[in-house]
Amino acid sequence: MKRTQNSQSLPSLQSLVAFEATARLGSMTAAADEERTTQPAISQRIRALEEWAGMPLFDRKGGKLQLTAKGERFRREVSSGLSGIRGACDRLLREGEGPAPSVVIAAGSGFLHLWLLPHLPAMKQAFPEVTFTLKPIDRADDPELQAADIAIRFGPYLPQEESQLLAREEVFPVTSPDYARSNALGSELKASDLDHVTLLHQDIHEPRWLDWLQWCDQVGIELAPREDYFAYHNYALLLHATLARQGVALGWSILVEEYLKTGQLIALGPRIKRTEYGYWLSAKHHRSAVVQPICDWLMAAMQPYQPVDARY
């Protein structure tokens, strides 16, 4: 097969697309269906490409369409090129439709740093057209929490708030394996352990969060007055102190899950649940075509933590 006179120029894009689709799908008929044209049109475009190249790209012997060795190498190179062209065209079309939608998600700093940030890559992959802004807000009455497109609030159920329960609260002591060994701690924290371990406190002035005094009261352990504590106003900092073998902290199951899985922290008993407390999701425009799918994604990601009687 001889090359055509204009063999120094590029072949038509239609010929390259027809060739790539036929090679990938294994037949000209399937390629015609994908490209919404006819089988003869696909055959003609491939024949034009072969004439341009001056060689057959398919072995048509035996009634089965197979690539030649040079055709297979050409397919690999063409496929990556066409993929890049398609991606560039898609991006150009999206830019022509206007600016990418932006969604602001506000949540407590502990939830944001310990759960939402690790899940952000998966969320971006699910919604590649959306630009996310994350705001750490720890005050339940902060106006920015109310102004966010999606707000995730920790606390009790509020009847006046249209919200969905993301996760019910479950609290238990956590510490590093080394600290547990050096202080001879068993599977459950006992009253006698409290005499010699360092208790790491969350902000004791925030009524929504359990502190050690409240936890001890709920599990039936008497906690003697102590002055050797430091209150961490940021839960992520408190957890880092726990990882650094500085003591025992109260762990909220959803926030410490990854550390328990990796063995960096271990859970001690007893565990307590306050059924009226949890993480609540609300959306400023919950019926928005942009916001609602993101809310649905968050609900699905948090499903293991949701009880069957979740209130809306």
Side-chain angles (χ1 to χ4, degrees):
M1 182 181 291
K2 294 183 179 180
R3 293 187 178 184
T4 56
Q5 292 296 320
N6 61 341
S7 61
Q8 296 304 310
S9 63
L10 290 172
S12 72
L13 182 59
Q14 279 190 330
S15 294
L16 293 173
V17 170
F19 165 75
E20 188 276 335
T22 300
R24 173 167 42 85
L25 299 172
S27 79
M28 294 183 185
T29 302
D33 290 341
E34 182 175 271
E35 296 301 318
R36 298 182 181 180
T37 186
T38 63
Q39 190 273 344
I42 293 291
S43 178
Q44 185 179 12
R45 292 168 189 173
I46 292 175
R47 181 63 65 182
L49 180 63
E50 290 177 322
E51 289 177 357
W52 172 87
M55 68 183 74
L57 300 173
F58 289 98
D59 184 353
R60 296 171 173 81
K61 295 177 183 178
K64 190 174 181 181
L65 201 62
Q66 290 185 324
L67 286 167
T68 63
K70 292 182 179 179
E72 173 59 31
R73 184 183 65 187
F74 188 59
R75 179 200 66 78
R76 290 195 298 268
E77 295 171 341
V78 166
S79 294
S80 61
L82 288 178
S83 177
I85 291 173
R86 290 190 181 101
C89 290
D90 288 343
R91 287 189 293 273
L92 185 62
L93 288 175
R94 286 198 297 271
E95 290 171 1
E97 294 171 354
S102 177
V103 172
V104 176
I105 301 179
S109 58
F111 180 88
L112 190 148
H113 287 100
L114 299 170
W115 192 90
L116 195 53
L117 273 179
H119 288 81
L120 186 60
M123 191 162 64
K124 284 183 175 180
Q125 187 175 7
F127 304 99
E129 73 283 0
V130 176
T131 299
F132 290 100
T133 300
L134 306 183
K135 288 191 173 183
I137 297 174
D138 288 318
R139 283 177 46 211
D141 59 349
D142 193 308
E144 286 198 76
L145 190 67
Q146 317 304 323
D149 298 303
I150 297 174
I152 299 172
R153 175 187 61 83
F154 176 81
Y157 172 68
L158 299 177
Q160 72 273 20
E161 180 181 275
E162 188 175 354
S163 59
Q164 296 172 282
L165 179 61
L166 277 177
R168 195 74 83 191
E169 181 187 47
E170 183 180 21
V171 185
F172 45 86
V174 294
T175 190
S176 69
D178 287 345
Y179 191 87
R181 280 191 295 269
S182 62
N183 287 273
L185 298 180
S187 60
E188 292 209 350
L189 203 60
K190 303 185 295 292
S192 57
D193 296 323
L194 302 184
D195 296 333
H196 64 274
V197 300
T198 299
L199 300 180
L200 306 176
H201 292 254
Q202 174 70 0
D203 186 356
I204 59 175
H205 302 297
E206 172 52 73
R208 292 176 299 150
W209 293 92
L210 277 175
D211 60 19
W212 276 108
L213 186 62
Q214 293 169 315
W215 180 86
C216 286
D217 182 63
Q218 294 212 23
V219 300
I221 296 177
E222 185 175 353
L223 180 63
R226 300 174 60 161
E227 296 183 0
D228 62 337
Y229 67 79
F230 179 83
Y232 290 84
H233 299 280
N234 182 301
Y235 189 73
L237 290 177
L238 181 147
L239 215 53
H240 282 301
T242 313
L243 292 165
R245 304 181 293 279
Q246 294 181 23
V248 182
L250 289 176
W252 276 255
S253 58
I254 192 171
L255 304 184
V256 300
E257 179 187 36
E258 290 304 314
Y259 294 109
L260 297 177
K261 285 181 179 178
T262 60
Q264 294 173 272
L265 292 177
I266 59 173
L268 308 176
R271 295 177 177 239
I272 66 171
K273 297 180 181 180
R274 293 188 296 177
T275 56
E276 72 277 16
Y277 275 73
Y279 288 92
W280 303 89
L281 179 146
S282 58
K284 187 168 63 173
H285 305 292
H286 68 279
R287 298 189 185 279
S288 162
V290 174
V291 172
Q292 186 58 49
I294 299 171
C295 291
D296 293 341
W297 187 92
L298 287 166
M299 290 295 295
M302 299 282 275
Q303 191 172 8
Y305 308 98
Q306 296 164 10
V308 293
D309 62 338
R311 286 175 287 186
Y312 291 72

